[in-house]
């Protein structure tokens, strides 16, 4: 499997093993925690899961789960999806790994919602945490998706005039765009830093029954990710500097590979 | 600092300039938000103190969007659509529909339209839909010698219905921006959506009846059932399917009765089709279906009809899960989208089509599309917050309302703006950037003067305007020079069909869309019939 490795190379195998180990540990611990629900009176529920202080088991679960996610993202970022722009530098790699993380998170949102709907509708036992958990995850999926889209150069742009420009003018336009993106990031951090810092220090919570620290985490996360997006924009500018101009068309968002895939699906079992 | 009129002009011109140099839409709006604030507040207030100052409204506006629960439905609907297009559900649905309608003049065009409506009710996104229809139906129609313009127009116009019939991603964004109930928007768009679809169907049928050479019939297959026999088979299929549905509903109602969830309580909405009083109706339907199966259609015909119609079941289940969750009062829009993902995934598993690769590939596509759409939202939220802070929308609204123009004149000018912008810009940019300015104006117009034949309650004006906007966007998917539907179809059409040919095929359908739009304008109560 070394031949289709993007960047891990010889490390691909070890990373995969580590990922498997941590996923296995997470599952084992998860099963243990679930069993506790049935046999123990003071089992840890979702309320305790986000308050690890003084609960070593919860802390262990959180750490192992984060590591499992981290290694899974690393491993998955090593394979290029058919439609993806391959990563070229260190910042591209960061973006792709974080992109992989948010893809995994998207499935978690679906699962959390499914759990909530089933437990509310079938068992009439609505959870306290499902809505807020999906909100929490989704905020990061939204933010990271922009970083990923930046690395993939798939943000919505209007190319009518851009494509008519000579190459030097395109480069000039790109420079202006990137400069302005950086200016926005600076302005956002300038205006929001104190607020984000305060909320992070207080670990400000959402003010609900489950009470996750959504403002305390998302507000600083927002600033950090905007800065990452700006860095990614600069990195794109450098990477694309000497590339030939690409002619864009409105059909960019539907690609040959997707059509080929659909076509194959249609022809199967005919 | 700068007065609000000059500021608005600077922002508008800045937007054109930044878009022209190819700056991403979301970031252009975000930067213009910074410009707006810089023009309004003195520099020492803005930049004097690191970490605070008026710039903080930008971060707050973005944070509000990021923690918006309804917004989560967007990636989920995209995910669902991505999974859907890689499953064989669409193909089977096409063959099922085609069997029933193969002897009808213009049958494949009719099938295409009906299939598009069903797919529109499953997901709220266009793109994949046009591609699917283009791959399935276009080769068939061209092989049978259908008129090329008719074939192209049918596929693209019907394929664009995805955002007109609920669930619709355009209406979700409209509801988010304007803080209108999305459920109400969905309900309101039902009738106009089906009206537009029926315009397409009527056009196809009338056109092919007048000029039969535009849609030759396929050669007859020997041994194929026809006429009344086929009708009975269809009845048998429907009865058997209804019987199944009734059976499931019966179990569900009994389950509620056992758990006591459906006890009649004060101040609690009854569970639709789940109350004790509903059980006799469900049983009655079930018995009626059995009678139809055994005494009218016959078991053989029913079995054969079932075989022929099987492809329609999966789509119905998906629609039932998504729309049923919303309208059955089970879940909100967001959970409905999540359940839709699960439904498509489970059906795909049952059909033995889902693989890790398909799911992963769909996730990659989902994240890409989410990034592009959500970050336009981020930029637009920042700009809208900054512009509202400096009093922009009020200024524009005063300007227009104070100008003493006829009410419908203003509305028509807005329609014109939508149509022109729709030619060049994505719907998401229009709804996020233009709506915050336009809707306050519309709300302040005298409600009784909106509409030519009848007017609509002032409460429902935002909903009406959302549906009207959605209809405008229908046109934008087809309008040259950048109508996305044309490019989607071009990528799957045979090489000899040029973009010009495709846009030529659109013309009658654009006319139909404009007719539907004028119906909404002339008689606005059409949107409130079900509210």
């Amino acid at each position: 499997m070394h031949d289709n490795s993007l960047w891990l190379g010889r490390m691909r195998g070890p990373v995969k093993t580590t990922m498997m180990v941590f996923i296995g540990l997470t599952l084992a611990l998860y099963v243990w925690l679930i069993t506790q629900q049935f046999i123990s009176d003071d089992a840890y529920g979702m309320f305790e899961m986000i308050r690890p202080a003084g609960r070593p088991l919860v802390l262990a679960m959180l750490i192992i789960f984060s590591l499992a996610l981290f290694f899974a993202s690393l491993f998955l970022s090593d394979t290029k999806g058919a439609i993806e722009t391959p990563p070229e530098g260190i910042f591209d790699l960061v973006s792709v790994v974080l992109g992989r993380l948010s893809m995994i998170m998207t499935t978690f949102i679906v699962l959390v919602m499914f759990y909530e709907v089933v437990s509310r509708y079938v068992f009439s036992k609505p959870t306290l945490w499902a809505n807020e958990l999906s909100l929490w995850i989704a905020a990061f999926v939204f933010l990271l998706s922009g970083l990923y889209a930046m690395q993939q150069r798939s943000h919505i742009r209007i190319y009518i005039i851009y494509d008519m420009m000579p190459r030097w003018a395109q480069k000039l336009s790109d420079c202006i765009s990137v400069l302005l993106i950086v200016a926005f990031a600076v302005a956002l951090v300038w205006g929001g830093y104190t607020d984000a810092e305060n909320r992070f220090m207080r670990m400000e919570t959402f003010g609900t029954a489950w009470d996750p620290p959504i403002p305390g985490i998302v507000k600083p996360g927002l600033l950090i990710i905007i800065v990452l997006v700006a860095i990614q924009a600069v990195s794109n500018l450098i990477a694309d500097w000497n590339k030939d101009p690409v002619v864009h068309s409105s059909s960019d968002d539907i690609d040959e590979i997707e059509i080929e895939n659909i076509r194959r699906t249609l022809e199967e079992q005919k | 600092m700068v007065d609000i009129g000059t500021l608005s002009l600077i922002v508008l011109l800045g937007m054109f300039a930044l878009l022209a140099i190819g700056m991403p839409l979301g970031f252009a709006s975000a930067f213009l938000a910074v410009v707006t604030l810089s023009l309004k507040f003195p520099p020492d207030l803005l930049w004097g103190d690191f970490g605070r100052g008026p710039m903080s409204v930008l971060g707050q506006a973005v944070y509000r969007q990021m923690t918006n629960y309804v917004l989560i439905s967007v990636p989920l609907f995209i995910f669902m659509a991505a999974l859907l297009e890689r499953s064989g559900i669409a193909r089977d649905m096409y063959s099922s529909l085609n069997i029933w309608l193969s002897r009808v003049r213009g049958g494949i065009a009719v099938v295409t339209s009906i299939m598009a409506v069903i797919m529109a009710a499953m997901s709220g996104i266009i793109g994949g839909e046009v591609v699917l229809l283009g791959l399935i139906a276009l080769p068939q129609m061209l092989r049978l010698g259908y008129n090329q313009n008719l074939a192209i127009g049918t596929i693209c116009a019907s394929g664009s219905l995805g955002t007109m019939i609920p669930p619709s991603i355009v209406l979700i964004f409209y509801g988010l921006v304007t803080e209108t109930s999305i459920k109400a928007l969905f309900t309101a768009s039902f009738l106009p959506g089906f009206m537009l679809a029926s315009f397409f169907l009527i056009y196809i049928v009338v056109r092919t009846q007048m000029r039969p050479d535009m849609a030759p019939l396929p050669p007859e297959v020997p041994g194929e059932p026809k006429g009344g026999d086929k009708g009975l088979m269809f009845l048998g299929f429907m009865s058997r399917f209804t019987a199944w549905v009734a059976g499931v509903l019966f179990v569900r109602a009994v389950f509620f009765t056992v758990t006591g969830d459906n006890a009649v309580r004060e101040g609690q909405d009854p569970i639709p089709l789940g109350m004790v009083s509903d059980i006799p109706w469900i049983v009655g339907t079930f018995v009626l279906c059995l009678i139809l199966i055994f005494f009218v259609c016959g078991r053989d015909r029913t079995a054969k009809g079932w075989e022929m119609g099987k492809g329609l079941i999966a789509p119905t289940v998906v629609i039932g899960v998504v729309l049923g969750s919303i309208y059955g009062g089970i879940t909100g829009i967001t959970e409905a989208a999540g359940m839709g993902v699960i439904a498509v995934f489970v059906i795909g598993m049952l059909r033995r089509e889902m693989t890790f690769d398909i799911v992963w590939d769909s996730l990659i596509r989902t994240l890409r599309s989410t990034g592009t759409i959500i970050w336009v939202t981020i930029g637009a939220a920042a700009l809208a917050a900054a512009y509202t802070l400096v009093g922009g929308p009020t200024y524009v609204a005063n300007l227009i309302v104070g100008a003493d123009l006829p009410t419908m004149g203003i509305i028509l000018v807005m329609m014109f703006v939508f149509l022109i912008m729709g030619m060049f810009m994505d719907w998401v940019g229009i709804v996020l950037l233009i709506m915050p300015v336009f809707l306050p104006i519309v709300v302040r117009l005298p409600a009784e003067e909106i509409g030519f034949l009848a007017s609509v309650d002032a409460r429902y004006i935002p909903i009406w305007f959302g549906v009207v906007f959605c209809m405008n966007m229908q046109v934008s998917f087809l309008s040259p020079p950048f109508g996305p539907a044309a490019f989607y179809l071009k990528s799957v059409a045979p090489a000899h069909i040029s973009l010009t040919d495709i846009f030529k095929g659109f013309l009658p359908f654009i006319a139909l869309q404009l007719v539907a739009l004028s119906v909404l304008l002339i008689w606005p109560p059409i949107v409130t019939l079900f509210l």
Side-chain angles (χ1 to χ4, degrees), chain B residues 56-129:
Chain B
S56 61
V57 295
L58 302 180
Q60 278 157 16
V62 177
Y63 172 78
R64 254 200 312 279
Q65 287 299 321
M66 292 302 92
T67 49
N68 192 326
Y69 194 61
V70 180
L71 202 58
I72 307 178
S73 62
V74 172
L76 298 184
F77 273 125
I78 298 176
F79 189 21
M80 174 181 157
L83 285 176
L84 204 56
E85 64 185 40
R86 295 292 297 279
S87 76
I89 296 177
R91 180 194 56 217
D92 289 0
M93 177 166 56
Y94 176 80
S95 12
S96 280
L97 284 172
N98 200 24
I99 294 178
W100 303 116
L101 292 168
S102 60
R103 305 309 306 163
V104 178
R105 179 71 61 188
I108 302 186
V110 174
V111 165
T112 308
S113 287
I114 296 177
M115 184 165 151
V117 171
I118 299 177
M119 288 171 67
M122 285 198 275
S123 79
I125 295 171
I126 77 152
E129 210 166 307

Side-chain angles (χ1 to χ4, degrees), chain A residues 226-242:
Chain A
I226 298 260
V227 171
L228 285 180
V229 169
I231 294 174
Q232 181 66 53
V234 176
S235 153
N236 282 359
L237 183 66
I238 297 168
D240 293 349
W241 191 255
N242 287 320

